[in-house]
Amino acid sequence: MLRRRFNRTCLSPLDLAICERVFDQVCEDENLDPLDLDAEILAVMVVAIFRNAHTCERELLEAVRSRRQKAAGIGH
């Protein structure tokens, strides 16, 4: 995707849809209530990772899962 995404403060409807699908998938995977504080932290993480280059939905999902596993002490 275009490098100009790095400096944008707003996300397009398409960008938001990608982030929302990833958020929903991780909530489902981890049995998180989307209205819970942990889910709010997840939402912030999803958008931050999206803004830092992972704009492909598959890559974004993998990056979020990886970061959450590392934070939980699971994984590599």
Side-chain angles (χ1 to χ4, degrees):
M1 295 258 168
L2 300 176
R3 292 277 185 211
R4 63 190 168 110
R5 286 185 188 265
F6 294 111
N7 296 322
R8 290 192 352 206
T9 57
C10 296
L11 299 176
S12 73
L14 177 61
D15 296 342
L16 287 173
I18 290 169
C19 290
E20 185 173 15
R21 286 191 300 270
V22 169
F23 172 83
D24 290 342
Q25 184 61 55
V26 175
C27 282
E28 184 178 321
D29 293 347
E30 297 183 12
N31 295 317
L32 289 177
D33 179 347
L35 301 177
D36 194 36
L37 178 59
D38 288 335
E40 185 174 337
I41 293 167
L42 169 63
V44 170
M45 176 187 289
V46 168
V47 171
I49 293 172
F50 181 89
R51 285 187 170 153
N52 286 314
H54 291 285
T55 56
C56 166
E57 186 171 340
R58 180 184 47 78
E59 290 176 2
L60 178 61
L61 181 57
E62 290 172 6
V64 170
R65 285 176 173 163
S66 175
R67 189 155 310 163
R68 289 186 59 84
Q69 287 176 348
K70 287 178 185 175
I74 307 168
H76 313 288

